[in-house]
Amino acid sequence: MPLRALIFDVDGTLAETEEVHRAAFNATFQDFSLPWHWDIALYGQLLKITGGKERLRHYAQGIGAHLDEALIAQLHARKNTLYGALIARGGAPLRSGVMDLISRAQQQGLRLAIATTTSRVNVDVLLRANLGADADRCFDVIVAGDEVARKKPAPDAYLKALADLGLPAAACMAFEDSANGLAAGLAAGLRVVVTPGIYTQHEDFSKAALVLPDLSQFSLSMDI
Ligand SMILES: [Mg+2]
């Protein structure tokens, strides 16, 4: 079946956003006078929990702190505001090869979609910072974390993206940077190209269709 659409993960795949997320979490803890600081090693562990609220809840439980749901929501909202400000200032440029691939895909008439566990506001800020005013027209379909019941590694975000595109998995290809994302794409029946990121280089990508250091080495004519 001919390729009709590309579906992208956001964090780590389009841009190395995780360091910006980490900085925003730490600034939020300071704002709320919480004596917490997530360093790179700890954040690498916490990234196994997808979704910002879930990550906060998991961390608090792990250190025996009680966070009620209202406070989790406040922390998450503040963190997203800080994250947006950092991203809007150009804190997370697109990874090598991403812009070229988007351009080539558009030239070939392929449709573009996003399937992410991050929230819609984060997606919009990142796209506008890096793609300018055309960002909203670039992607036909954007499925964000708040729109599906189960986050990755469940296939929900990809299944919704496929449904919204009106295409079968066999006509699409997914791009991911993590084992969680790879599992989600595979569970939706997709071919998955993986470009490992800072936090995911050690993960198992043996079931990926292709693993590359970055998308500058990917060609749409590759037979995968
Ligand atoms: Mg990712």
Side-chain angles (χ1 to χ4, degrees), residues 48-65:
K48 292 180 182 135
I49 311 299
T50 54
K53 285 182 206 158
E54 289 81 354
R55 196 167 298 150
L56 285 164
R57 194 178 296 123
H58 174 85
Y59 174 74
Q61 284 168 354
I63 61 168

Side-chain angles (χ1 to χ4, degrees), residues 111 113 140-143 147 157-167:
R111 296 169 69 198
D140 281 342
V141 166
I142 297 179
V143 178
E147 297 169 48
Y158 278 112
L159 293 173
K160 181 164 183 352
L162 289 170
D164 290 355
L165 285 164
L167 291 171

